[in-house]
Amino acid sequence: MSSGFALRNLNNSRGSAAVSDYGAHVLRWRPAGQNEDVVWSPSSVILADNKAIVGGVPIVFPWFGPGFADGHGLGKKPNHGFGRIRTWQLDAESFSHEYAHYTLDSADLEPGDVPWLEPAEANESAPTPQFHADFEVHATDTLTMTLTVANTGTVPFSYEAALHTYFHVSDVSNVRLAGLGGAHYADATDGFKPCVQSDPEVTFNGTVDRVYESDGTLELHDAGLQRTIRIAKSGSPQTVVWNPGKPYGTFVNDETAGEWRGFICAEAASCREHAVALAPGESHALSQSLSVA
C-alpha cells in the first residue's frame, strides 16, 4: 500500500465503515448485528495512482462508462470518469465516528479533465466550466451517501454520475432484486437494446448489465445470508444493475476463488440520456441510502 493513500475508519455502536481519501471511495460498511459486510470488496484491494479501486462504492463522475452524448458513446478515458482516480479533500473538522465529508473542485484537477465538460460550441477563448463536488458519508445502522455537484462557473455544463455500489451476497444464484418489475431498461450486453423487465424480480443466471429507467426503492433478497438489503435513493432517475456472470479479470482472486459470485451491483445513476445539466449557480444531489432487514 502506498503511503500516499489514507483510509478513514468510521466506527460506532450502530455500525462501521471504511473510506479511502483516494476517490472518496467507501470500501466497506457493516451495520451492528450483521456477521457479513453489506458493501463488498474483494479479498485483496490494490491502491495505486491512476488506478480505480475495485469493489466498495466507486464514485462515477463526470461521465459513465466511456461517456455519452448525441446518441453515441464518446470513447472517453478513464472509464467512468476521473472522480474515482483523484484524491478528494477530507473536511477534517467535521469528520467523526459516523460521518465523513469530502470535496473535489475543478481547480484541483489535472490538465485535460475539465475541458470535457465544455459545451459543444466552446472554443479556446470561451470560459471553461467550473464545478465543486461534495460527497458525504453517514455510516451507522444505515449507510447514506450523497454526491452534490454545483456549477461554480459562468457557462452551463452536463455530467453523468453514479454511486457504483457493490453489495456482498452469499452467491449470485441465491439473490433476487425486487422493485424493478415492469421497468424499461437498456441492455448493455446487447448494444443497449431497449427492453422491459417482465419478471417482478431480477435474478442473476448469467451476465447482467442493465440501465433501468427507475427511481424507486429496491429490495435485495439473499436466501443464503438470510437478509434483505433495502436500497433507497433520490436525485436518480435510473438504476444500474450489474454482475459479470463469469470470472472478471480485474478482481485479484476472481479466477481461483470465484469472487464475482459474491457481489451484485445496484447503483443510483444519472447517465446517458439522463445526464444532469447545470446552469451557472445550479447544483444537483444524487443520494443512495442502505439498510438491512
Side-chain angles (χ1 to χ4, degrees):
M1 181 185 302
S2 168
S3 60
F5 293 89
L7 303 183
R8 315 289 175 171
N9 291 312
L10 309 180
N11 294 310
N12 54 77
S13 61
R14 293 186 290 165
S16 64
V19 190
S20 167
D21 290 1
Y22 181 75
H25 191 120
V26 176
L27 296 172
R28 56 170 296 274
W29 169 65
R30 182 187 301 187
Q34 289 293 311
N35 295 322
E36 302 279 354
D37 284 351
V38 173
V39 171
W40 177 92
S41 285
S43 57
S44 299
V45 175
I46 297 174
L47 302 180
D49 288 331
N50 296 314
K51 183 177 178 64
I53 299 172
V54 174
V57 187
I59 297 175
V60 173
F61 173 80
W63 59 84
F64 183 91
F68 183 87
D70 300 323
H72 60 84
L74 300 178
K76 301 299 296 183
K77 293 182 180 180
N79 198 48
H80 288 325
F82 52 73
R84 61 184 187 153
I85 59 169
R86 296 289 182 266
T87 296
W88 293 53
Q89 299 302 309
L90 175 72
D91 180 358
E93 291 187 2
S94 66
F95 180 75
S96 73
H97 294 297
E98 61 184 53
Y99 176 75
H101 175 201
Y102 287 93
T103 61
L104 182 69
D105 196 275
S106 52
D108 302 328
L109 298 179
E110 297 180 1
D113 286 343
V114 174
W116 184 86
L117 297 169
E118 293 180 5
E121 65 273 14
N123 55 57
E124 291 183 0
S125 62
T128 59
Q130 303 293 320
F131 72 86
H132 182 83
D134 292 272
F135 184 61
E136 297 175 272
V137 180
H138 291 83
T140 57
D141 53 349
T142 63
L143 175 66
T144 300
M145 302 167 290
T146 304
L147 174 67
T148 304
V149 178
N151 184 343
T152 56
T154 59
V155 293
F157 66 82
S158 297
Y159 70 93
E160 299 173 277
L163 299 178
H164 188 25
T165 309
Y166 288 73
F167 291 95
H168 173 60
V169 299
S170 57
D171 189 282
V172 291
S173 63
N174 288 332
V175 302
R176 299 171 290 112
L177 185 63
L180 293 169
H184 292 258
Y185 68 89
D187 188 349
T189 70
D190 191 13
F192 288 95
K193 176 183 176 181
C195 302
V196 176
Q197 179 66 36
S198 57
D199 295 329
E201 298 173 323
V202 180
T203 55
F204 299 85
N205 301 311
T207 302
V208 174
D209 192 358
R210 303 170 183 173
V211 181
Y212 284 88
E213 301 292 317
S214 173
D215 61 1
T217 297
L218 310 178
E219 289 189 344
L220 179 59
H221 302 286
D222 189 338
L225 292 178
Q226 297 182 323
R227 70 184 181 190
T228 295
I229 303 170
R230 188 173 186 270
I231 307 165
K233 61 197 183 80
S234 64
S236 163
Q238 296 160 299
T239 298
V240 176
V241 180
W242 176 67
N243 177 271
K246 57 186 177 181
Y248 191 73
T250 59
F251 301 137
V252 175
N253 292 317
D254 204 33
E255 293 286 351
T256 59
E259 291 196 326
W260 65 273
R261 304 191 65 89
F263 77 88
I264 69 108
C265 288
E267 57 199 91
S270 292
C271 65
R272 297 178 64 80
E273 296 88 349
H274 292 287
V276 179
L278 293 181
E282 290 185 335
S283 65
H284 179 78
L286 184 154
S287 184
Q288 185 161 277
S289 183
L290 316 178
S291 58
V292 178

